[in-house]
Amino acid sequence: MNGLLEIKKRILDDIVSSGSYTETEEKRIKYLSKKGEITLLFGQIKDIEPENRKEFGQFVNDLRTEAFDLINSLKEKYSETSAETIDLTLPGKLPGSGSYHPLNMIRDDLKKIFRKMGFSVATGPEVETEYYIFDALNMPSWHPARKTTDSLFLSEGKLLRTETSSVQIRTMEKGKPPFRIIAPGRVYRNEKENATHTAMFSQCEGLYVNRGVSFSELKGTLKEFFKILYGKDTVIRFRPHYFPFTEPSAEVDVSCFKCKGKGCSLCKRSGWLELGGCGMVHPKLLENVGIDSEEFTGFAFGLGIERLAMLKYGVNDIRDFTENDLRFLDQF
Ligand code: DAH
């Protein structure tokens, strides 16, 4: 009997240790099937002394019932928990979806707004020659604005374009006026990176050349553009400035759309945000591409796309645009 008690303990402990429905079923086969250990114990009755047979038979019978009940209750437990883990009423998991990059959104806004005003989109290469970056833009070799410190030079006299203004020349030399284009694109400068400067950023150039184009048309165009981008109460102002490729030249400021010109942290208490350069196309540029500067005039402007986006979306660090941190990108 001692031996039998040990067998019983071993079998029941083994069944209890089953960790899943399948494992419990494996134990049923191991102990209760035709060739199972408990079933085979019944076959041993004939080897037991007759006076002990009844007790032996009773013991094995009880063991079988106990094992049977235990297995059934374990199976019930496991099928219940597996049913619990599949809750068919839960909403499904949606696959993650991408979003537009804030710079692409601003660039698309720019294109949409200027297209409505009759501008088409022009492009030019990012690897340029000194002719298109300096000479044709009225910066001959002696010109102080031709400072080489922030240009990134490549071999064979090539350089990465420092401004999209080169597209003005490339556009005008390809056809005849009128020209009315914008040219959004990347530019590169040898800059130490910080919260407001990166070596690669984007600009949007604008150019309109025709007979009798005036500064007031430039004003009207930029005013309309900023009203659509930043709201209809937006006011703009021009400050005299110098650019080699325009005369007269100006920097354009936009009334701060956050404080409506009262002064806040965004506009550094000035009420104005600096957004770009502009002016009347210098006659030298027109002559450089064979256009009669007596007959035609034009205006041009250049806007920083990152700056437009930083202000519109409240981004404080320009490096966020290129770091590809999903926590940043997911907000748009
Ligand atoms: N190219 C200038 C810059 O990178 C921006 C600019 C100023 C473009 C005046 C223009 C312009 O077309 O007329 O700072």
Side-chain angles (χ1 to χ4, degrees):
M1 280 310 283
N2 272 346
L4 279 177
L5 284 172
E6 255 175 56
I7 292 173
K8 176 181 170 175
K9 186 174 180 319
R10 173 174 56 77
I11 291 178
L12 294 180
D13 283 352
D14 189 27
I15 293 174
V16 166
S17 75
S18 316
S20 66
Y21 189 97
T22 339
E23 228 179 285
T24 316
E25 169 62 7
E26 281 165 9
K27 298 288 164 66
R28 186 193 66 77
I29 294 164
K30 184 173 172 190
Y31 297 114
L32 298 174
S33 66
K34 253 189 184 169
K35 294 212 168 122
E37 193 176 336
I38 296 177
T39 316
L40 292 179
L41 281 176
F42 284 106
Q44 289 177 20
I45 287 190
K46 60 181 187 319
D47 306 319
I48 306 287
E49 295 96 321
E51 65 275 22
N52 291 334
R53 272 185 198 161
K54 190 169 171 230
E55 200 187 350
F56 180 86
Q58 188 66 49
F59 185 89
V60 178
N61 220 9
D62 290 346
L63 173 59
R64 183 175 63 180
T65 312
E66 224 173 304
F68 190 80
D69 290 344
L70 187 57
I71 283 170
N72 280 347
S73 71
L74 280 173
K75 280 188 171 175
E76 213 166 292
K77 173 177 138 193
Y78 289 129
S79 60
E80 257 170 37
T81 53
S82 59
E84 259 167 29
T85 54
I86 306 170
D87 181 350
L88 297 177
T89 66
L90 282 176
K93 275 192 194 149
L94 288 174
S97 62
S99 57
Y100 286 104
H101 193 281
L103 292 182
N104 286 348
M105 293 200 290
I106 285 283
R107 200 193 50 206
D108 291 348
D109 282 352
L110 275 159
K111 286 189 192 169
K112 217 190 277 169
I113 299 171
F114 281 113
R115 271 198 180 121
K116 275 198 181 152
M117 294 193 227
F119 287 77
S120 53
V121 176
T123 55
E126 291 177 17
V127 173
E128 267 297 5
T129 62
E130 294 192 34
Y131 174 74
Y132 288 101
I133 291 293
F134 300 127
D135 303 270
L137 289 171
N138 195 27
M139 282 175 270
S141 53
W142 51 264
H143 202 284
R146 196 170 167 144
K147 54 181 173 16
T148 52
T149 44
D150 65 359
S151 305
L152 291 159
F153 284 90
L154 307 166
S155 56
E156 296 162 30
K158 299 246 166 108
L159 71 162
L160 291 173
R161 68 177 179 197
T162 46
E163 53 193 10
T164 45
S165 303
S166 51
V167 186
Q168 289 189 30
I169 305 298
R170 289 193 173 270
T171 304
M172 291 194 286
E173 68 180 11
K174 266 190 265 170
K176 286 195 161 54
F179 300 104
R180 205 201 298 247
I181 57 109
I182 55 160
R186 287 203 187 109
V187 297
Y188 302 83
R189 288 187 194 174
N190 190 7
E191 295 256 25
K192 265 238 153 63
E193 305 213 332
N194 58 34
T196 49
H197 294 87
T198 42
M200 180 190 80
F201 57 102
S202 8
Q203 288 186 332
C204 182
E205 196 74 14
L207 174 74
Y208 176 43
V209 177
N210 206 345
R211 287 185 186 87
V213 175
S214 65
F215 201 98
S216 60
E217 282 173 272
L218 167 62
K219 275 176 114 173
T221 304
L222 290 179
K223 192 166 145 189
E224 185 62 17
F225 166 70
F226 284 116
K227 276 177 182 258
I228 300 173
L229 191 71
Y230 288 137
K232 62 176 175 12
D233 299 332
T234 309
V235 184
I236 61 170
R237 76 173 180 187
F238 291 83
R239 273 180 295 108
H241 200 74
Y242 170 77
F243 294 107
F245 28 86
T246 40
E247 181 58 37
S249 304
E251 277 197 318
V252 58
D253 296 346
V254 169
S255 60
C256 180
F257 51 83
K258 197 173 166 195
C259 64
K260 307 273 178 247
K262 285 192 204 84
C264 67
S265 58
L266 185 68
C267 58
K268 301 203 183 91
R269 315 265 151 234
S270 72
W272 295 95
L273 303 163
E274 280 179 38
L275 280 168
C278 61
M280 298 306 290
V281 178
H282 198 292
K284 278 259 174 65
L285 264 72
L286 300 174
E287 280 149 27
N288 286 341
V289 292
I291 294 175
D292 182 354
S293 61
E294 294 289 325
E295 189 182 352
F296 291 96
T297 52
F299 69 68
F301 57 84
L303 307 166
I305 293 186
E306 279 79 359
R307 177 132 171 94
L308 292 173
M310 286 169 84
L311 294 171
K312 180 158 179 178
Y313 299 120
V315 175
N316 297 321
D317 194 319
I318 192 171
R319 292 167 292 193
D320 285 342
F321 292 124
T322 41
E323 263 163 21
N324 283 336
D325 186 331
L326 286 179
R327 290 168 301 176
F328 172 74
L329 297 174
D330 275 348
Q331 297 173 51
F332 298 95

